[in-house]
Amino acid sequence: MTTLTIAPVAPLLTRLFAQADALRPENLPIFAQTSPEEIDRLMQSKAEWRELYTHLKDIALPVSREAGRLLYMLARSMNARHIVEFGTSFGLSTLHLAAALRDNGASDARIITAEFEPSKIARAADHLAQAGLADLVEIRAGDALETLAHGLPDGIDLVLLDGAKALYPDVLALVEPHLRPGALILADNADYCPHYLAKVRAPGQGYLSLPFAEDIELSMWIGAKR
């Protein structure tokens, strides 16, 4: 038995994933009225991400069920204590990560997660409270390029990138000095950010990286060459 597979976390996740399945981004007017090419452009834009994600403020945008379980398994297997997440949304991925920290049992375990949309922060905080995991999570409100620019712990074990795709390289640059050797970085839908993929896949940049499953880039920090 694990925190992930028993009440209150398991039934809460079942309900939240079902709600996410019922209200998907493609059903919103901005997607129904916009060409796929324009949507791709918006997803990759560093200038228009706020406008796009404001349209998505009522959508959960969760990782997949399989990705959530993968996050839990990785955090447990590496005995993670310090986790950073970019893009809290409704907190589904955060719940998986916090469940792993609870089961790891370290007294100083902490997730720092960044979200700019106030309504999503409120929902995520409520979900974490329902799960009994709020004490393990610090939600930083605002632009992640500002909120993650300070106060990060050294020895970060695991990073989840699941916010505005165009910002992945910039967020990675903020957390990179704090990564421990062997730290893992999971980037959801990283195909929308070729610059990020070029960074983590290039020799000599300090990463071993590979596409994992359908929509995840999984990278390991091994340290940049001096």
Side-chain angles (χ1 to χ4, degrees), residues 8-217:
V9 176
L12 175 62
L13 284 171
T14 297
R15 174 168 60 84
L16 293 178
F17 273 121
Q19 291 173 354
D21 290 339
L23 187 58
R24 303 186 63 83
E26 54 265 31
N27 297 327
L28 294 177
I30 186 176
F31 283 89
Q33 300 168 9
T34 306
S35 69
E37 295 76 16
E38 177 64 8
I39 290 173
D40 283 348
R41 188 192 69 78
L42 290 170
M43 290 288 287
Q44 298 182 52
S45 173
K46 293 184 74 169
E48 300 172 79
W49 67 267
R50 283 181 178 273
E51 178 181 355
L52 174 64
Y53 282 88
T54 297
H55 283 288
L56 298 172
K57 65 184 180 65
D58 295 320
I59 304 293
L61 301 175
V63 297
S64 67
R65 291 168 173 82
E66 295 77 13
R69 186 145 297 203
L70 174 65
L71 287 167
Y72 175 87
M73 292 169 64
L74 291 174
R76 284 299 313 277
S77 67
M78 66 193 309
N79 198 28
R81 293 163 51 231
H82 303 306
I83 297 175
V84 173
E85 178 183 44
F86 167 49
T88 318
S89 193
F90 288 6
L92 279 79
S93 53
T94 322
L95 288 166
H96 287 85
L97 293 168
L101 291 191
R102 178 70 81 216
D103 292 339
N104 285 345
S107 61
D108 62 344
R110 195 79 171 164
I111 299 169
I112 295 173
T113 181
E115 175 59 51
F116 90 101
E117 174 55 51
S119 62
K120 286 194 167 185
I121 293 170
R123 290 197 192 207
D126 180 57
H127 296 153
L128 289 162
Q130 290 181 48
L133 297 170
D135 60 302
L136 294 167
V137 182
E138 175 189 348
I139 303 177
R140 296 190 178 181
D143 186 337
L145 299 184
E146 299 174 359
T147 64
L148 297 181
H150 56 84
L152 297 182
D154 289 326
I156 292 172
D157 301 292
L158 182 61
V159 177
L160 173 61
L161 302 176
D162 195 21
K165 314 312 171 190
L167 301 185
Y168 282 7
D170 300 303
V171 173
L172 182 63
L174 294 176
V175 301
E176 186 176 282
H178 305 276
L179 297 175
R180 71 161 175 85
L184 296 177
I185 302 95
L186 285 84
D188 199 36
N189 301 122
D191 287 349
Y192 284 112
C193 190
H195 294 299
Y196 174 83
L197 294 178
K199 161 74 174 177
V200 296
R201 293 177 180 178
Q205 293 298 307
Y207 296 93
L208 292 177
S209 192
L210 78 161
F212 189 89
E214 182 178 353
D215 53 2
I216 292 172
E217 183 77 8

